[in-house]
Amino acid sequence: MTEKFTTEVYYDEDADGSHLDGKTVAVLGYGSQGHAHALNLHESGVDVVVGLREDSSSRAEAEEAGLEVATPDDAAAQADVVSILVPDTVQPAVFEAIEPELDEGDTVQFAHGFNIHYNQIEPPEYVDVTMVAPKSPGHLVRRNYERDQGTPGLIAVYQDVSGGAKEEALAYAKGIGCTRAGVIETSFKEEVETDLFGEQAVLCGGVTSLVKHGYETLVDAGYSPEMAYFECLNELKLIVDLMYEGGLGGMWDSVSDTAEYGGLTEGDEILDDHVRENMEETLERVQNGEFAREWIAENQAGRPSYTQLRAAEKDHEIEDVGARLRELFAWEESESESADEQERVNADD
Ligand code: NAD
Ligand code: MG
């Protein structure tokens, strides 16, 4: 493998907060990302207004936290930077409502590139379009900031009419605490395609499928569901924690030689070349827009397949077994952020 690490990492000293001086940031939405961005920016001294619908249940919460709240269009009218942090599926409608409030040189900012990359939002040519995407759920973005720690993040510039889009995005990343940990620059295309591929092939889709296949193989062979659950789901956390801390090598070093030898010899037999071919097809459907078109149509139709798939997943035997075992056993949640961990990689409904 050739050396491919070419990306520059930006830290606090590379980001100049003054690029937000005298500007107002409208944060539309007060969910996972929205509340974290709004509170962190506010505490970093940035002028923030939260945009929420009149009937939004989050209004009281944002006001109690000391934030100014307005309707999305009023917030956008006051703002120089409009950060769109409502769920991806409702962003096109929210954008349509606030678009008339955008002035020349304003910035429209995202935390995920889906709607821009797949042309669900087509911003006017007189605004900057940027992305600041923490690589973590919003509750950790908030908690890290409160502990004087940072959250790694990405920035991207899609449209730069002001000539200062990147500097402003870095200032925003600094305001939410991302440059404390490190920020890298990407493009909307790369962020979207890698994010969708990762969650489908490995993180959410791949790993759940692997767990279910392992569980079913043991149970069908006559082993107890409890043993199958511990072996194929529960212990996954321990392995992933080791990989998180020390990469694959850190994990191999910590497991027994027997586990290492068996893992090294059998892993590629289980996830063989077919898996690689399937992954390439998944990536292709992301790249050619087929997945995006399917997901958009699914939403327009009222989510019929999604509802069915969700129900079927809930019905899987491993879920009952797990619920029972989690009640019977008290396992240590060290300094765990269980609420954050349970948050989906990309909550969008
Ligand atoms: P969310 O689902 O947590 O919250 C969205 C908020 O939007 C709600 O709390 C509500 O205040 C508001 N809202 C909901 N429906 C609305 C509607 N119909 N009209 C107006 N407002 C509405 O969203 P999120 O997970 O914070 O995602 C926001 C953006 O951040 C998305 O682009 C997402 O891809 C991106 N992102 C999320 C994460 C994550 O881990 N959650 C990580 C990185 C990027
Ligand atoms: Mg994601």
Side-chain angles (χ1 to χ4, degrees):
M1 270 269 178
T2 50
E3 181 63 66
K4 279 190 176 165
F5 199 75
T6 53
T7 313
E8 192 177 347
V9 183
Y10 299 99
Y11 299 100
D12 274 352
E13 60 271 24
D14 307 309
D16 180 355
S18 75
H19 289 285
L20 284 176
D21 281 357
K23 294 180 181 172
T24 298
V25 175
V27 174
L28 307 187
Y30 201 69
S32 177
Q33 292 296 325
H35 92 287
H37 292 216
L39 290 169
N40 293 4
L41 286 169
H42 177 67
E43 286 167 26
S44 294
V46 177
D47 186 18
V48 174
V49 53
V50 178
L52 291 171
R53 293 164 298 173
E54 299 280 10
D55 62 349
S56 166
S57 56
S58 307
R59 273 194 163 242
E61 203 190 320
E63 277 164 0
E64 273 160 34
L67 295 166
E68 189 189 332
V69 180
T71 58
D73 43 330
D74 283 345
Q78 293 174 42
D80 305 282
V81 178
V82 181
S83 185
I84 303 189
L85 298 175
V86 296
D88 293 302
T89 47
V90 307
Q91 287 181 9
V94 168
F95 182 78
E96 200 175 276
I98 61 106
E99 189 176 0
E101 311 301 337
L102 297 175
D103 300 317
E104 200 166 328
D106 280 356
T107 300
V108 181
Q109 193 180 272
F110 297 86
H112 177 41
F114 188 95
N115 287 300
I116 290 290
H117 182 60
Y118 293 118
N119 302 314
Q120 299 307 293
I121 291 178
E122 298 188 58
E125 75 284 354
Y126 53 81
V127 296
D128 287 358
V129 180
T130 62
M131 173 169 23
V132 176
K135 288 308 284 173
S136 127
H139 293 88
L140 268 187
V141 176
R142 178 62 185 149
R143 184 174 311 170
N144 288 340
Y145 184 90
E146 287 180 298
R147 293 175 178 173
D148 292 323
Q149 290 164 1
T151 306
L154 308 172
I155 58 161
V157 174
Y158 180 77
Q159 203 164 279
D160 183 9
V161 290
S162 72
K166 181 175 170 180
E167 288 68 26
E168 191 188 67
L170 277 171
Y172 186 108
K174 187 177 195 172
I176 63 173
C178 285
T179 49
R180 291 175 183 174
V183 165
I184 59 175
E185 186 172 10
T186 182
S187 63
F188 275 62
K189 174 180 160 62
E190 184 179 58
E191 184 271 338
V192 172
E193 292 177 355
T194 56
D195 187 65
L196 293 178
F197 174 79
E199 65 202 16
Q200 292 173 18
V202 180
L203 305 175
C204 305
V207 92
T208 50
S209 182
L210 186 67
V211 164
K212 286 183 286 185
H213 279 301
Y215 174 89
E216 286 165 15
T217 302
L218 285 177
V219 172
D220 288 352
Y223 298 98
S224 83
E226 291 78 6
M227 289 297 285
Y229 178 85
F230 274 118
E231 206 48 58
C232 298
L233 188 150
N234 183 264
E235 282 191 40
L236 186 60
K237 173 171 169 36
L238 313 176
I239 295 300
V240 169
D241 283 350
L242 292 169
M243 295 199 307
Y244 185 83
E245 280 158 28
L248 302 180
M251 186 277 288
W252 291 128
D253 281 349
S254 296
V255 299
S256 70
D257 288 355
T258 312
E260 185 177 9
Y261 176 75
L264 288 171
T265 53
E266 290 302 306
D268 289 346
E269 296 294 316
I270 303 272
L271 298 184
D272 62 9
D273 290 344
H274 288 98
V275 173
R276 177 59 183 264
E277 282 160 30
N278 292 341
M279 284 190 175
E280 280 163 6
E281 275 170 36
T282 292
L283 181 59
E284 203 173 301
R285 279 170 32 77
V286 165
Q287 289 171 330
N288 66 21
E290 202 180 308
F291 171 76
R293 282 191 294 279
E294 178 188 313
W295 175 225
I296 292 159
E298 175 69 15
N299 276 287
Q300 283 164 351
R303 304 184 157 192
S305 317
Y306 186 21
T307 309
Q308 264 180 13
L309 290 164
R310 263 186 172 170
E313 184 80 348
K314 268 203 187 106
D315 258 3
H316 195 285
E317 182 190 286
I318 197 171
E319 292 289 78
D320 282 336
V321 174
R324 212 155 32 76
L325 288 176
R326 289 194 300 271
E327 244 175 54
L328 289 174
F329 290 82
W331 43 77
E332 202 62 36
E333 282 264 319
S334 54
E335 219 207 290
S336 182
E337 349 258 330
S338 60
D340 298 312
E341 279 165 7
Q342 277 166 20
E343 244 183 313
R344 281 162 300 147
V345 173
N346 212 341
D348 57 9
D349 66 340

